[in-house]
Amino acid sequence: MDLRIFTEPQQGATYDTLLTVAKATEDLGFDAFFRSDHYLRMGSSDGLPGPTDAWITLAGLARETKRIRLGTLMTAGTFRLPGVLAIQVAQVDQMSGGRVELGLGAGWFEEEHKAYGIPFPKEKFARLEEQLAIVTGLWATEAGKTFDYHGAYYDLTESPALPKPAQPKIPVLIGGHGATRTPRLAARYADEFNIPFASVEDSRRQFGRVRAAAEEAGRAADALTYSNALVVCVGRDDQEVARRAAAIGREADELKANGLAGSPAEVVDKIGRYAEIGSRRIYLQVLDLDDLDHLELISAQVQSQLS
């Protein structure tokens, strides 16, 4: 079971804070550092000092880390043209020496689009399908050849399809709870399917849909990696769990029910239940980015037991 650190910088974080967490992620033996792609805070947080851009952040981290994988859960398809996104991600992959992964979603948070003047189209899922075709098609085009795509929303003519990533194939993550279109899209384009903030039973059901869609599309169901994203709140005792829950504005009992919370033994046990249904990777949503002791505890007493 891989454990990856997943951050939500729109809630309030500087690049320096993210760099500190990414370096701790690397030093403590976690597999990867991922971040959300949002420009507006959610809930009661003040969001100060303001948003950071996902791919600018990852470009910086690409040069300041050496081992960990880097990526997004999920890049919003509404934020970037697919041709430009293919260039950005390929460049960051080069800058990292081939450690980048692209999580790409349709985009959903209308308020942040209004706040920053970003169009929020109605046909987001159909656009996402074209975006996936274009991004992966550009990367797969042989050097010296050109790429054309003529869709309902995007039109590319004789693109040189450059630059190329450092990796032969950048892993693509697709995720969500949709029962029909999401599994079909994952079966066609994804190397990994991720379900965010779902129970064991809901995850089992969605993984089953994706596996069936993959087989229907002529792929082996096990060709995809299946993963979960879950909020994490670990403490050596109930008091420490409660303190960490309060720091992120949550209740310990609610986190135990809906996330990975409690003692290290409780969290290891719950991760084991996700492993039993085929999850091979957990993205630990860390909401208090100043609490590096939390990461140290997870590394020493949770990750150590899983490896």
Side-chain angles (χ1 to χ4, degrees):
M1 177 68 76
D2 293 334
L3 293 187
R4 296 182 159 191
I5 300 303
F6 168 42
T7 62
E8 301 273 6
Q10 75 277 358
Q11 299 303 96
T14 65
Y15 171 76
D16 286 339
T17 298
L18 295 172
L19 174 60
T20 298
V21 174
K23 286 187 171 181
T25 297
E26 186 158 84
D27 293 343
L28 293 170
F30 293 104
D31 183 59
F33 174 94
F34 271 58
R35 60 157 293 162
S36 60
D37 187 21
H38 287 294
Y39 293 133
L40 195 67
R41 62 105 178 101
M42 301 167 197
S44 59
S45 167
D46 59 20
L48 295 175
T52 50
D53 181 84
W55 285 101
I56 290 176
T57 296
L58 294 175
L61 298 180
R63 307 303 288 180
E64 300 197 67
T65 58
K66 295 182 174 63
R67 177 188 60 80
I68 51 174
R69 307 290 294 177
L70 300 166
T72 51
L73 282 182
M74 300 285 187
T75 289
T78 47
F79 288 174
R80 298 166 180 86
L81 296 171
V84 175
L85 180 63
I87 292 170
Q88 292 171 321
V89 178
Q91 184 177 6
V92 177
D93 194 53
Q94 291 175 356
M95 293 167 71
S96 71
R99 293 183 285 123
V100 158
E101 304 184 10
L102 171 64
L104 185 59
W108 62 271
F109 190 21
E110 186 173 6
E111 287 80 357
E112 68 187 337
H113 294 74
K114 292 178 179 177
Y116 287 97
I118 303 167
F120 190 68
K122 291 182 179 180
E123 323 83 356
K124 292 182 289 298
F125 199 91
R127 288 173 180 270
L128 173 62
E129 189 160 7
E130 290 196 10
Q131 290 164 341
L132 285 161
I134 292 166
V135 170
T136 58
L138 287 167
W139 291 338
T141 300
E142 293 180 18
K145 295 186 177 181
T146 59
F147 176 81
D148 289 80
Y149 184 90
H150 307 294
Y153 306 104
Y154 303 102
D155 198 288
L156 285 74
T157 302
E158 295 187 2
S159 171
L162 297 172
K164 296 302 182 194
Q167 298 175 83
K169 186 181 190 308
I170 290 179
V172 172
L173 290 75
I174 294 172
H177 296 260
T180 304
R181 293 191 299 174
T182 296
R184 177 180 56 79
L185 209 57
R188 182 172 183 183
Y189 292 107
D191 299 283
E192 178 177 337
F193 179 78
N194 177 270
I195 184 165
F197 315 119
S199 68
V200 173
E201 187 52 43
D202 287 346
S203 298
R204 185 201 308 273
R205 189 177 302 111
Q206 187 69 336
F207 289 166
R209 294 182 183 121
V210 175
R211 295 177 71 88
E215 291 173 351
E216 186 176 342
R219 292 180 71 185
D222 290 338
L224 286 81
T225 297
Y226 298 87
S227 65
N228 290 83
L230 295 159
V231 63
V232 67
C233 181
V234 186
R236 295 171 183 84
D237 52 38
D238 288 343
Q239 290 74 25
E240 190 167 74
V241 174
R243 175 177 62 79
R244 288 201 162 108
I248 60 174
R250 306 279 284 271
E251 296 290 335
D253 288 345
E254 177 266 321
L255 290 173
K256 287 185 179 184
N258 299 312
L260 297 173
S263 68
E266 288 177 295
V267 170
V268 169
D269 178 71
K270 191 163 186 182
I271 289 174
R273 281 181 264 158
Y274 282 97
E276 288 173 358
I277 63 158
S279 185
R280 295 292 174 261
R281 188 169 287 157
I282 302 288
Y283 293 81
L284 303 173
Q285 186 196 42
V286 176
L287 296 176
D288 185 352
L289 299 182
D290 295 318
D291 187 0
L292 297 183
D293 289 342
H294 192 199
L295 297 185
E296 291 177 6
L297 176 63
I298 296 168
S299 173
Q301 298 192 31
V302 175
Q303 181 172 241
S304 61
Q305 295 189 58
L306 297 173
S307 60

